[in-house]
Amino acid sequence: MKRAPLNLALYVVVMVAAALLVVAAVRVFQDDPGPTSLPVQGVVELDESSAAEQQRYTDIIDAATAEATAMVNISYTDVQAAIDKVLAGATGDFKDQYTAATDALVKLFHDNQSVRKGQVLWAGVVAQDPDSATVILATTGTVATKKSAAKAENYRVQMQLVSEKGRWLTSDLQFVS
């Protein structure tokens, strides 16, 4: 009966192989891949930004979002309050241009009894440094007049912001497609 030692040897080989398979599986499924992970060509690991830089990004996004929100929410019943919100977040040429257009804007909204309601869908910082930033935003909303029911409005906006006395203000605005 030479089969018994052969069966015993096969049994031992199978058990050792199973144990090695379990050890390999545990290593593969661990959360930390350790030094065995290979770099991917074209992918660069980014350094974690400082708390100050993260706060600057947050402040930029918040200021741009507030400005865009003010611009897409305006009603003939209180046009000046909406204009004041936009101007509060504006500076430089943009503030001058918007101020120059306010009389026409008030007349347009009153004559048509226009109501614009909207929101910012997303915003992203394209470029920034401690004193300036470029932000792209997407807005959606509706506009209704005394002659027409609410119609959808969607805008993509590029804003230039500058930091003045600790506040991020819009210095330029362009609609983009």
Side-chain angles (χ1 to χ4, degrees):
M1 306 267 184
K2 295 183 180 194
R3 282 192 131 178
L6 180 62
N7 283 344
L8 181 62
L10 286 175
Y11 177 76
V12 169
V13 168
V14 168
M15 295 310 288
V16 169
L20 290 173
L21 184 61
V22 168
V23 169
V26 167
R27 286 190 179 181
V28 167
F29 290 111
Q30 283 180 338
D31 289 337
D32 182 18
T36 61
S37 64
L38 298 174
V40 178
Q41 184 175 356
V43 175
V44 177
E45 185 175 336
L46 299 176
D47 293 333
E48 187 173 326
S49 57
S50 69
E53 189 173 1
Q54 290 177 17
Q55 185 61 51
R56 183 170 59 238
Y57 272 99
T58 299
D59 294 345
I60 291 167
I61 291 290
D62 289 350
T65 300
E67 188 73 353
T69 300
M71 293 187 73
V72 296
N73 287 286
I74 185 169
S75 173
Y76 74 96
T77 59
D78 199 4
V79 179
Q80 194 58 51
I83 289 170
D84 292 344
K85 282 183 184 178
V86 172
L87 291 174
T91 191
D93 290 341
F94 176 67
K95 186 172 189 172
D96 295 342
Q97 292 168 0
Y98 198 81
T99 300
T102 57
D103 290 340
L105 188 61
V106 169
K107 181 175 178 8
L108 177 70
F109 268 80
H110 279 291
D111 290 351
N112 293 303
Q113 295 181 356
S114 299
V115 176
R116 176 181 284 161
K117 295 179 183 177
Q119 63 184 4
V120 173
L121 294 175
W122 57 260
V125 176
V126 176
Q128 63 84 31
D129 61 38
D131 301 319
S132 63
T134 302
V135 179
I136 301 287
L137 303 102
T139 67
T140 188
T142 59
V143 63
T145 67
K146 65 182 176 183
K147 294 181 182 178
S148 68
K151 294 179 187 175
E153 282 188 328
N154 299 302
Y155 296 109
R156 304 300 175 263
V157 179
Q158 177 177 306
M159 286 185 184
Q160 302 297 324
L161 289 92
V162 294
S163 179
E164 291 183 2
K165 298 178 184 172
R167 291 185 60 217
W168 287 96
L169 302 173
T170 303
S171 61
D172 188 35
L173 182 142
Q174 296 178 13
F175 292 93
V176 295
S177 54

